[in-house]
Amino acid sequence: MRARARVTAAGVAVAIAAALLAALPGATAQADAGGPAPVEQRPASMVTADSLPTVQIDSGVVWAQVIAGGTVFAGGSFQNARPAGAAPGVGLMPRANILAYDLKTGVATAFAPTINGAVKSLALSPDKRTLYVGGSFTQVNGESRFNLAAFDVATGALLSFKAPIGGSYVNAIAVTDSTVYVGGLIGAAKGVARKNLAAVSRSGALLAWAPTTDRQVDAMTLTPDGSRLIIGGRFATVNAASQRGLAALDLSSGALLPWAVSQRVMDDGSGRSGIWSLTTDGTAVYGSSWLYGAAGTLEGAFSAEPTTGALRWVADCHGDHYGIYSDGTTVYTTNHVHDCETIGGFPQVEEGAGNQQHVAAYTAAAKGTANATKDPDYAVLNWAGSPAPALVSWFPTFATGTATGQGQAGWTITGTGEYVVIGGEFPTVNGGRQQGLARFSTHPDGGATQGPRLSAAGWTPTAATDAGTTRVSIPNNWDRDDLDLRYELWEQGGAAPVAQTDVPSPFWTRTPVTLAATGIAPGSTHTYTVVARDGDGNIARSAPVTVVDPRAPAADQFVAKDAFGRDIPTGWGTADTGGPWTTTAGFSVSGGAGQISVAAGQTRAAALGATSVTSDSARLSVGLSRVPDGGGAQINYVAKKTAGGEYRAKVRVTAAGSVVVSVASLVGTTETLLSTKTLSGFIYTPASALQLRVDLTAGSSTQLSVKAWPAGSAEPTAWTVSATDGDPALQGAGQVGVNAYVSGSTTGGPLVVSVDDLDVR
């Protein structure tokens, strides 16, 4: 419906339609067993939702399109075109109601005839050499042409073909090798009375073919075998016989032929509903239908066997359907669909903009059966149990226009399989300026870039931890051309996701997706984000969420703990928890800290040999007696030392006082820096202290994450550095320790390194 009108059971039109539908085969109160098919992921053969740069109209509306080889012809009501991306009024190219552009580049061609009225229909001859133009006009290039004209496709020249069609407009054209059939709101052809249908020869001679309808014809297509002409519109009679909105005609006599679906898909006979468009892909005939507060039988799309008219499927998606095109696998439509629940798609939502879309795609094959509608406004449109296609997840976003005053977007759609083109009155596509014409491809330049739509503050997770497992939940994301999304849980600073899952994610749901991280240490703090990834590699990242494990560490959960509350002149003695320290020369304990005296060029090391860790979380405080000159000094916390080497959290203080934080592996005598970062905005001063937090998480590989910050300030949320390493020599259990190194170029005598408040758990 162009505007959703309330339809009540008391209405006479509703009573008639209800009685009619009750008599139709398949119009049962409940769906047959099986029901709607699931919504489908866009197949590789289908175009993406990326709107390609294409010439625009400057204002107005595009009513019709046709493709001849590599050229798209578009007709409507407009006076100027402008380049892709240009703002209104910029770079104008005069185009009087018709234009052409290159299908692959979107650039306008030189084709620019002058037509003095609206173009409503376009059709090609079977050999693609002649373009027929219908509409509401009297002149083309200054020559007399009443509502019908023909052009040479190759040269763009107006042909001598003259077949004046009297009346308001020509809405539909179909062409055979010998005949041009026209339909619309017609009163005469070449001065001879006709009633909404007429035929002329390819040379323009009037033919005797003269079927009639009581109201206008809006669409026509030839069946693939050429045996009949299918017409659609707003009529109630054909050849004075009752035939509402859809009919099959004999190509020679104009006689009404049996066509089964025309007894099921019908308008209400009042002119307020009808068939908007008809097309064929060589296998089936497809049609689109609309209602305006009226009692037709379908608001949606249908597919029928070309010769018999047997119903192949019905897409009972409520919202007027306009253009329709099939590539043989997918059926594309323009519309303002707002309720597709009967075939397994999105439901009606009354609040705000609801679920309304302006395109919909269906499978060319039937995949399930329709359910009865839940919307009382559409209770009389009961297609329950009828064969139905699957809805395909393809929803580029169109803004509605103002040119027609009807608040619509796309009116016409066609394609080649590789490309799909849409015309209408929309000002933008996917939020980008693209007025009246849009182009889509199966292989857009730059790849498919339409990714998941929700991100950052607009997509916020929640988290809870219980018994060592953190569960992060977030509403499903959505993507304009991908139903299936992969959700990944990332810990801040991590090199790989800790969990992932694939979930169908339609735009109309916000079903929670839950991902779990296991092995969480008691009392530990973790920050996570969720990444949604589509099949083309496009991603969206959520806002972060931080969770603290609520369990208090028990005393026996400490691996090591040392407050250095003792005085020892040589060595470090025995830690509060973790056993005795094994040290080289230069170690002592005084002033409530472990001290390491290191001369230039020396390395000093201490280890807690009784400890054994694979995963742990450590905190400690470190400092230097002065800022070193030369090559600086390093303090290394050994997060794990195995027989094969060790993982280190490194703090290097340069001669300028900069603090460089790294994570590294040492295998044999080879040290490899895995990740490095300089603390921003901080310069080390003598006798100040740095706080370190070092987390070691082991699995098939090991993740080492480090935070470093000035003592007395708040611990940062983010890890300063983090890296994952899988060297097999370092994946077993090992001991913890501390070592220090002073560059051989440092002067001023030994430098004292202090270590305090070691806590490993």
Side-chain angles (χ1 to χ4, degrees):
M1 295 183 183
R2 293 197 185 104
R4 293 199 72 224
R6 292 287 166 183
V7 183
T8 65
V12 174
V14 170
I16 294 171
L20 177 64
L21 274 168
L24 294 178
T28 57
Q30 297 181 350
D32 293 346
V39 178
E40 293 193 1
Q41 163 69 24
R42 171 182 59 88
S45 63
M46 191 174 169
V47 300
T48 75
D50 298 270
S51 175
L52 305 180
T54 304
V55 65
Q56 309 172 79
I57 60 172
D58 193 53
S59 62
V61 59
V62 173
W63 290 116
Q65 302 173 105
V66 71
I67 300 173
T71 302
V72 182
F73 293 93
S77 181
F78 51 85
Q79 293 304 307
N80 290 285
R82 63 180 194 266
V90 176
L92 295 185
M93 299 171 281
R95 294 292 188 274
N97 302 309
I98 194 168
L99 60 77
Y101 67 86
D102 187 279
L103 177 62
K104 292 187 176 181
T105 67
V107 175
T109 72
F111 180 73
T114 300
I115 300 178
N116 73 340
V119 171
K120 302 279 285 184
S121 55
L122 298 170
L124 293 169
S125 60
D127 61 9
K128 312 296 186 193
R129 297 175 62 181
T130 304
L131 171 68
Y132 292 91
V133 179
S136 180
F137 50 83
T138 59
Q139 288 190 332
V140 179
N141 293 345
E143 297 185 27
S144 175
R145 295 289 191 278
F146 281 87
N147 297 335
L148 185 65
F151 294 87
D152 184 281
V153 168
T155 66
L158 177 67
L159 298 178
S160 59
F161 170 88
K162 283 188 177 182
I165 304 297
S168 297
Y169 38 74
V170 170
N171 277 345
I173 306 172
V175 188
T176 69
D177 289 333
S178 61
T179 305
V180 180
Y181 297 91
V182 296
L185 191 57
I186 294 169
K190 301 202 75 167
V192 178
R194 291 290 187 266
K195 186 65 172 174
N196 300 324
L197 290 162
V200 296
S201 71
R202 292 282 300 278
S203 63
L206 181 65
L207 300 178
W209 191 83
T212 64
T213 67
D214 62 328
R215 291 187 177 86
Q216 73 187 53
V217 173
D218 291 319
M220 56 175 53
T221 193
L222 293 159
T223 56
D225 65 358
S227 66
R228 61 201 66 207
L229 179 70
I230 311 303
I231 64 169
R234 314 175 193 198
F235 46 83
T237 65
V238 176
N239 296 340
S242 177
Q243 190 71 36
R244 289 169 38 186
L246 186 62
L249 300 175
D250 184 272
L251 295 180
S252 299
S253 67
L256 191 62
L257 300 175
W259 211 58
V261 74
S262 68
Q263 300 305 304
R264 300 192 66 182
V265 176
M266 293 181 280
D267 65 22
D268 72 334
S270 71
R272 295 187 301 150
S273 61
I275 302 300
W276 187 272
S277 183
L278 292 164
T279 191
T280 181
D281 59 9
T283 300
V285 169
Y286 304 90
S288 62
S289 62
W290 60 276
L291 302 173
Y292 188 78
T297 64
L298 176 66
E299 186 175 75
F302 68 88
S303 172
E305 295 294 337
T307 304
T308 66
L311 181 69
R312 298 177 75 244
W313 56 248
V314 61
D316 184 28
C317 280
H318 302 148
D320 294 345
H321 280 50
Y322 307 119
I324 190 164
Y325 158 71
S326 171
D327 64 8
T329 300
T330 303
V331 180
Y332 300 84
T333 65
T334 59
N335 46 57
H336 66 241
V337 63
H338 48 79
D339 181 356
C340 243
E341 197 168 20
T342 58
I343 66 164
F346 48 91
Q348 173 71 29
V349 174
E350 300 290 351
E351 295 78 13
N355 282 332
Q356 182 166 288
Q357 301 293 313
H358 295 285
V359 292
Y362 310 108
T363 56
K367 295 292 185 79
T369 56
N371 277 342
T373 182
K374 297 178 182 178
D375 189 336
D377 287 356
Y378 292 93
V380 297
L381 309 182
N382 189 353
W383 289 89
S386 298
L391 181 68
V392 183
S393 189
W394 182 73
F395 297 105
T397 304
F398 291 79
T400 56
T402 59
T404 66
Q406 298 184 68
Q408 302 302 315
W411 291 102
T412 170
I413 188 168
T414 190
T416 63
E418 182 181 358
Y419 289 92
V420 168
V421 295
I422 293 176
E425 57 183 301
F426 45 87
T428 65
V429 182
N430 295 339
R433 186 179 290 122
Q434 188 59 61
Q435 186 155 356
L437 293 165
R439 186 170 57 102
F440 302 88
S441 173
T442 56
H443 55 280
D445 293 342
T449 61
Q450 290 296 316
R453 306 307 305 161
L454 307 177
S455 63
W459 194 40
T460 303
T462 59
T465 297
D466 179 57
T469 297
T470 294
R471 290 179 174 82
V472 178
S473 293
I474 195 164
N476 71 263
N477 214 303
W478 68 278
D479 190 299
R480 288 185 173 123
D481 57 12
D482 278 289
L483 174 68
D484 300 326
L485 298 181
R486 172 162 293 179
Y487 294 85
E488 301 170 347
L489 181 64
W490 288 75
E491 184 166 6
Q492 197 163 55
V498 299
Q500 65 184 36
T501 186
D502 297 336
V503 179
S505 302
F507 75 82
W508 58 93
T509 67
R510 290 297 176 267
T511 304
V513 177
T514 300
L515 298 151
T518 59
I520 306 301
S524 60
T525 300
H526 302 267
T527 298
Y528 299 98
T529 55
V530 178
V531 168
R533 187 183 306 272
D534 70 14
D536 299 305
N538 302 300
I539 68 168
R541 191 177 299 274
S542 75
V545 61
T546 299
V547 61
V548 179
D549 187 276
R551 298 169 296 166
D556 61 359
Q557 290 179 308
F558 284 105
V559 174
K561 187 174 180 65
D562 203 342
F564 295 96
R566 54 193 179 273
D567 290 316
I568 299 176
T570 302
W572 274 4
T574 299
D576 301 336
T577 302
W581 287 97
T582 301
T583 64
T584 57
F587 284 78
S588 62
V589 180
S590 64
Q595 310 290 342
I596 313 172
S597 178
V598 191
Q602 290 184 334
T603 297
R604 303 298 193 194
L608 286 171
T611 59
S612 178
V613 299
T614 53
S615 298
D616 61 32
S617 181
R619 295 176 181 268
L620 66 157
S621 173
V622 299
L624 299 175
S625 58
R626 69 176 188 274
V627 176
D629 61 359
Q634 296 180 20
I635 308 167
N636 299 329
Y637 170 71
V638 180
K640 181 171 68 173
K641 181 179 181 180
T642 70
E646 60 190 50
Y647 285 120
R648 295 172 167 179
K650 301 176 65 69
V651 174
R652 182 168 67 88
V653 179
T654 71
S658 298
V659 176
V660 181
V661 182
S662 306
V663 290
S665 64
L666 178 72
V667 178
T669 59
T670 302
E671 183 181 65
T672 302
L673 294 181
L674 303 175
S675 182
T676 298
K677 184 177 182 179
T678 300
L679 290 186
S680 177
F682 176 72
I683 298 298
Y684 190 82
T685 57
S688 60
L690 284 170
Q691 296 293 121
L692 299 181
R693 174 181 165 185
V694 183
D695 276 18
L696 188 74
T697 304
S700 58
S701 59
T702 297
Q703 182 174 329
L704 184 62
S705 304
V706 180
K707 294 180 185 180
W709 68 98
S713 61
E715 178 180 346
T717 301
W719 294 105
T720 308
V721 289
S722 183
T724 299
D725 180 69
D727 194 303
L730 305 179
Q731 301 311 306
Q735 58 190 241
V736 300
V738 178
N739 59 53
Y741 166 77
V742 174
S743 169
S745 60
T746 299
T747 63
L751 186 146
V752 177
V753 175
S754 62
V755 178
D756 198 6
D757 295 325
L758 176 67
D759 182 324
V760 185
R761 52 179 101 184

